[in-house]
Amino acid sequence: MQNQISYNLIIVILLMQIYNALLRKYLKAHGVDFDHFNLTDNWDKLQAYDPNVYLADLHARFLALDPQVKLSIHRGNLNTLEQAGEATSDFRQRFNHFLERFGHLSDSTVDFTSVPWRETPELILRLIAEFDPPEVKEIRKIGIDELNIRGLGRLFLRILYQRARQFRLYREMYSTLYTYTLMVLRDHFHALGAKLVDESLLSSWEDIFFLYLEELSDWVNTLTDGKNFSGLVGERKTAIELSQHALIPEVIFGDMTPPLMSLDANKLEGIPTSGGYYAGPVKIVRGLNDFKKLEPGDVLVVPYSDVSWTPLFARAGAVIAESGGILSHSSIIAREYNIPAVVSLKGCMNLTDGLMVEVDGYKGLIFFKSEGGFTTSENKGAERVGSTSE
């Protein structure tokens, strides 16, 4: 089942990209900027898959609670929700509904070793308490009914429009289904890991993720006693620690370990996916456990593009992602918030918190900040905080 879902998700993403590209080209031929075209704004079916919409509602309800209750919730105290009784019943029900709907999300929704939100409800409580609704700049977007295109051209436009919307929604639907079923696998490995702990073969159930499936299968089928599991886990943890700062090449040939790639001391270059210039301090966010580090106006640096990172965009002045493309979640949300974004930027996770950088969302360049503002000659003096994309 998981393989079929994965296949469908890949096909849906490819079709979404194709129809978006065709629609973009068609609109451009008629003098319309795709970024200023209303394709999915305020679409209820699509917003149903956006955790930010639900977090905003929960935050508004949180603000209406008793001050003492709010303080306890802000500290992630789950017991407060139970002890407050009727005073928090509505908030509690909606919080539980949120975990049911989005609890499968994690720092990496394609990796079931990553802890899902449902296992860290205290963290989600603090996220709700500190949620900062974005002040998104309103941009007048053109609706399809406003375009002066007639005849067969109108029919062709309508087909492209409907298909682009359809596969945008399908992308979210299949992404949710893929992530949900993947996290079901986590529950099974959790149970197996607990069994290994009971038999003193592992010290923690999470250590099961350092073992190969074949090794686990042999143990389940009593082909091995598993007494070497603890040693294997230790060796693999050490190997991961030694290679955690390696910059992996785009393509690896053969079975040899690739050499470490050095980090350019002056600039980094990636793919520009949301226009604008921005200067500010970077904050490295590897997961929602780091969300408290992000201050309003910081440059958000993330390892990959994922819907579960969306709540952090409300505070960011710009976004940098180590992976992703023009239609990744980071890129889409950055454009919706009108902040610069550069993705597929190797080495960005090796930057240090507080380092001042300048983000060129048009060229995909990240400069280390020097005295006097933006370092490129044509943008010299563009030091103001915020995107200039219009």
Side-chain angles (χ1 to χ4, degrees), residues 268-273 341-343 345 360-366:
L268 295 172
E269 184 172 358
I271 299 174
T273 57
V342 178
V343 303
L345 199 145
D360 184 340
Y362 296 111
K363 297 181 179 178
L365 298 175
I366 308 299

Side-chain angles (χ1 to χ4, degrees), residues 137-203:
K137 183 178 179 181
E138 290 294 333
I139 299 177
R140 172 74 171 84
K141 291 195 174 184
I142 301 172
I144 187 171
D145 293 331
E146 299 178 67
L147 299 180
N148 187 24
I149 302 175
R150 297 288 180 265
L152 291 177
R154 181 75 177 180
L155 177 61
F156 184 63
L157 170 63
R158 178 67 67 176
I159 292 173
L160 290 180
Y161 171 77
Q162 291 175 345
R163 291 296 178 88
R165 281 171 59 91
Q166 178 185 26
F167 284 100
R168 176 74 173 88
L169 177 61
Y170 284 172
R171 199 277 286 270
E172 298 305 320
M173 292 171 63
Y174 272 102
S175 293
T176 296
L177 184 59
Y178 174 85
T179 304
Y180 182 83
T181 54
L182 198 62
M183 285 302 167
V184 171
L185 291 176
R186 178 182 173 85
D187 294 337
H188 290 284
F189 279 96
H190 188 166
L192 184 57
K195 178 67 174 176
L196 289 166
V197 171
D198 290 341
E199 299 197 14
S200 301
L201 298 177
L202 294 179
S203 58

Side-chain angles (χ1 to χ4, degrees), residues 50 53 66 99 146 195 252 346:
D50 183 1
V53 174
D66 178 82
L99 288 182
E146 299 178 67
K195 178 67 174 176
I252 299 175
K346 300 299 181 184

Side-chain angles (χ1 to χ4, degrees), residues 360-378:
D360 184 340
Y362 296 111
K363 297 181 179 178
L365 298 175
I366 308 299
F367 296 91
F368 299 110
K369 190 163 174 24
S370 60
E371 295 288 332
F374 212 77
T375 53
T376 53
S377 59
E378 71 249 42

Side-chain angles (χ1 to χ4, degrees), residues 52-337:
N52 243 17
V53 174
Y54 293 80
L55 285 172
D57 176 70
L58 279 167
H59 179 71
R61 296 176 187 279
F62 163 80
L63 294 177
L65 296 175
D66 178 82
Q68 284 300 116
V69 174
K70 286 196 294 185
L71 180 61
S72 294
I73 291 177
H74 190 276
R75 292 171 177 169
N77 190 342
L78 277 175
N79 292 331
T80 299
L81 292 181
E82 302 298 332
Q83 296 170 355
E86 290 297 321
T88 62
S89 61
D90 180 65
F91 179 87
R92 184 169 64 250
Q93 290 175 5
R94 291 180 180 273
F95 175 70
N96 291 335
H97 174 71
F98 179 84
L99 288 182
E100 289 175 4
R101 184 164 184 81
F102 297 103
H104 59 279
L105 296 180
S106 67
D107 295 342
S108 175
T109 53
V110 297
D111 178 9
F112 64 78
T113 67
S114 184
V115 180
W117 289 4
R118 65 176 182 238
E119 292 183 18
T120 57
E122 298 86 357
L123 180 62
I124 303 305
L125 274 181
R126 293 198 299 271
L127 177 62
I128 292 168
E130 298 186 6
F131 183 76
D132 187 11
E135 294 182 4
V136 182
K137 183 178 179 181
E138 290 294 333
I139 299 177
R140 172 74 171 84
K141 291 195 174 184
I142 301 172
I144 187 171
D145 293 331
E146 299 178 67
L147 299 180
N148 187 24
I149 302 175
R150 297 288 180 265
L152 291 177
R154 181 75 177 180
L155 177 61
F156 184 63
L157 170 63
R158 178 67 67 176
I159 292 173
L160 290 180
Y161 171 77
Q162 291 175 345
R163 291 296 178 88
R165 281 171 59 91
Q166 178 185 26
F167 284 100
R168 176 74 173 88
L169 177 61
Y170 284 172
R171 199 277 286 270
E172 298 305 320
M173 292 171 63
Y174 272 102
S175 293
T176 296
L177 184 59
Y178 174 85
T179 304
Y180 182 83
T181 54
L182 198 62
M183 285 302 167
V184 171
L185 291 176
R186 178 182 173 85
D187 294 337
H188 290 284
F189 279 96
H190 188 166
L192 184 57
K195 178 67 174 176
L196 289 166
V197 171
D198 290 341
E199 299 197 14
S200 301
L201 298 177
L202 294 179
S203 58
S204 169
W205 81 262
E206 291 93 341
D207 287 345
I208 195 173
F209 296 127
F210 293 91
L211 298 174
Y212 297 133
L213 186 61
E214 298 80 15
E215 294 167 344
L216 292 171
S217 179
D218 286 346
W219 180 78
V220 170
N221 292 300
T222 65
L223 300 177
T224 180
D225 58 14
K227 291 182 179 179
N228 64 333
F229 283 177
S230 182
L232 290 174
V233 168
E235 293 173 6
R236 289 161 188 173
K237 284 184 176 180
T238 300
I240 289 175
E241 289 175 3
L242 292 174
S243 61
Q244 64 179 337
H245 295 301
L247 303 183
I248 308 301
E250 292 289 339
V251 180
I252 299 175
F253 296 96
D255 298 325
M256 297 294 291
T257 302
L260 296 180
M261 300 169 62
S262 61
L263 187 64
D264 192 314
N266 299 311
K267 69 178 181 180
L268 295 172
E269 184 172 358
I271 299 174
T273 57
S274 182
Y277 302 127
Y278 191 85
V282 304
K283 289 294 174 63
I284 311 300
V285 177
R286 302 181 186 277
L288 283 178
N289 280 310
D290 295 331
F291 83 94
K292 292 179 68 174
K293 295 196 307 183
L294 196 70
E295 299 291 337
D298 285 344
V299 176
L300 173 63
V301 182
V302 296
Y304 34 69
S305 306
D306 208 307
V307 66
S308 58
W309 299 95
T310 305
L312 300 174
F313 283 65
R315 298 183 180 184
V319 178
I320 300 172
E322 195 168 41
S323 62
I326 194 168
L327 289 177
S328 63
H329 276 94
S330 290
S331 303
I332 292 172
I333 301 303
R335 290 194 293 271
E336 290 178 353
Y337 286 2

